Amino acid sequence: MDKILIVEDDIILAETLKKLFLKRNLYAEVAANGKEALKKIKENPNYSIVLTDLVMPEMGGMVLIEEIKKIFPEMEVVVMTGYGDIKTAVEAMKKGASDFITKPFDKEELFNIINKILKREKIEEEIKKEKKKEKVEIIGQNHKFVRILEKAKVAAKTDFPILILGESGTGKELLARFIHENSNRKENIFLPINCSAIPSELIESELFGYRKGAFTGATKDFEGVFKAAEGGTLLLDEISEMPLNSQAKLLRVIETKKIKPLGYTNEIEVDVRIIATSNLSLKELLSGKLRQDLYYRFVIVIEVPPLRERKEDIKILFDYFVEKYSKSMGINKPNYDSKVIEILNNYSFPGNVRELENISQRIITFYKENIGEDEILSLLKEIEETREIEKENIIKVINECNGNKKKAAEILGISRATLYRKLREFNIEI
């Protein structure tokens, strides 16, 4: 969970902000002045954002910004300032603040600023993580799955845009990585971006970038994910969650291989291979979630089958995960008999391979020596009970929101895309 430090001597305002952040699944701590804030930051520098007032006793916001930037130059700081005091806010941004907001402020305006910074941080973090990724390993002998891997290897040798379809947890991102690693771009970056996690009003600036001063809050140049993925592969996860007008701009990028960042007058050439994924069926996609002209730009479409259609792969995958996590925990691989595999083969796996991996991890954690029929049945029963509780909670929240899915997703702390997937998974009709 992202963590925010609120630096404000008005304790009522500080606690109100803290509660608002928690409702949005953002953990917040409070400091009464700059001196207290600096102490907290030095003790635990894992704050995503410092949200600070400027006028405070003992140490004001301006000095706090200077001190933060001396020690942690990459730490993001957002300034709260009184109405009409824009000159001071501009001075704070010169000292390194990322953005400012004037009091009294609208909470949605504040969340837009916070979300924009958090999304940029996540993109930069993804870039760092990708450079450390281990080689992808795909396992399976099911005839459908083997044919898909063969198709993926052929697709990897081209530079055509690819669309990968499949239920959540089937391994769409893993297959995209497999394609990247078998392509001539394998030495360059593979950058996955979750379209459902980026607010619709920010998606174009995140994808295509912007120039400093292009809009309020654009305090420095941001290259965007297309330029960040230059020479490599860009994975657009859950592309159906991208607004239709943004899909039109993506279509133009595919056609021209050029982007136009906000604030630029000319287009910029980009060399990026695009792979997109969706957990919707083709019929659902083309019923208004994905532009048809964009769909036809994806020369290669690959559908990954759910695990329930790959029964012969369950034992292979279970063996692999159990061995992998036994090694990571430094223990011997536990014993289990054919009855355990029989029970797993008869399970529906609504969460697909991801769920099987989770089951394997839990098995290793709680049953380190022997896994029998009782242990696996007990674990599956617990999973079903947890799923039922989750289903009831979703129904309760949606009813409380009078069917407003956007509001329900916010209360549940999940994206709308995840909520729609849960509705399909649980067969919930609104």
Side-chain angles (χ1 to χ4, degrees), residues 56-90:
M56 295 176 291
E58 294 198 55
M59 183 190 287
M62 204 71 77
V63 178
L64 175 62
I65 295 168
E66 290 178 336
E67 293 300 317
I68 289 173
K69 292 299 173 179
K70 283 179 191 173
I71 316 167
F72 306 108
E74 298 302 314
M75 188 169 283
E76 304 279 0
V77 182
V78 175
V79 169
M80 297 181 287
T81 182
Y83 179 75
D85 200 16
I86 304 299
K87 186 178 179 181
T88 309
V90 171

Side-chain angles (χ1 to χ4, degrees), residues 133-139 174 315-334 336 353-354 356-358 360-362 364-365:
K133 286 284 182 185
E134 295 178 3
K135 188 172 175 63
V136 67
E137 192 170 3
I138 294 187
I139 297 165
L174 198 66
K315 182 180 185 305
I316 300 168
L317 287 164
F318 185 66
D319 282 340
Y320 171 77
F321 289 135
V322 168
E323 185 165 348
K324 174 183 175 181
Y325 292 110
S326 295
K327 282 182 180 176
S328 71
M329 290 179 67
I331 61 174
N332 293 326
K333 181 181 174 183
Y336 51 89
V353 178
R354 186 184 295 134
L356 178 58
E357 182 173 11
N358 178 267
S360 306
Q361 289 170 313
R362 292 169 75 170
I364 294 300
T365 304

Side-chain angles (χ1 to χ4, degrees), residues 7-9 32-39 42 52-68:
V7 192
E8 171 62 69
D9 60 332
N33 54 58
K35 188 176 179 180
E36 184 184 334
L38 196 60
K39 184 174 181 289
K42 286 177 179 178
T52 182
D53 195 6
L54 285 178
V55 182
M56 295 176 291
E58 294 198 55
M59 183 190 287
M62 204 71 77
V63 178
L64 175 62
I65 295 168
E66 290 178 336
E67 293 300 317
I68 289 173

Side-chain angles (χ1 to χ4, degrees), residues 311-418:
K311 294 288 188 184
E312 58 266 63
D313 287 344
I314 290 174
K315 182 180 185 305
I316 300 168
L317 287 164
F318 185 66
D319 282 340
Y320 171 77
F321 289 135
V322 168
E323 185 165 348
K324 174 183 175 181
Y325 292 110
S326 295
K327 282 182 180 176
S328 71
M329 290 179 67
I331 61 174
N332 293 326
K333 181 181 174 183
N335 299 312
Y336 51 89
D337 56 30
S338 58
K339 192 66 180 175
V340 170
I341 301 301
E342 185 182 329
I343 293 167
L344 290 174
N345 281 338
N346 290 324
Y347 182 61
S348 62
F349 285 105
N352 291 292
V353 178
R354 186 184 295 134
E355 184 175 12
L356 178 58
E357 182 173 11
N358 178 267
I359 288 170
S360 306
Q361 289 170 313
R362 292 169 75 170
I363 284 283
I364 294 300
T365 304
F366 297 109
Y367 309 109
K368 294 181 173 65
E369 294 180 4
N370 293 296
I371 307 166
E373 182 179 352
D374 291 344
E375 285 80 13
I376 199 75
L377 286 173
S378 173
L379 183 55
L380 293 180
K381 182 183 177 184
E382 183 185 328
I383 289 169
E384 288 296 337
E385 288 172 350
T386 303
R387 186 174 281 117
E388 192 58 36
I389 292 169
E390 184 183 13
K391 178 181 177 180
E392 289 172 2
N393 187 44
I394 289 172
I395 292 171
K396 175 175 172 287
V397 171
I398 287 179
N399 286 337
E400 287 174 352
C401 296
N402 297 316
N404 185 325
K405 298 186 190 74
K406 181 181 178 182
K407 188 176 178 183
E410 287 177 359
I411 293 171
L412 290 164
I414 57 178
S415 68
R416 271 187 287 176
T418 301

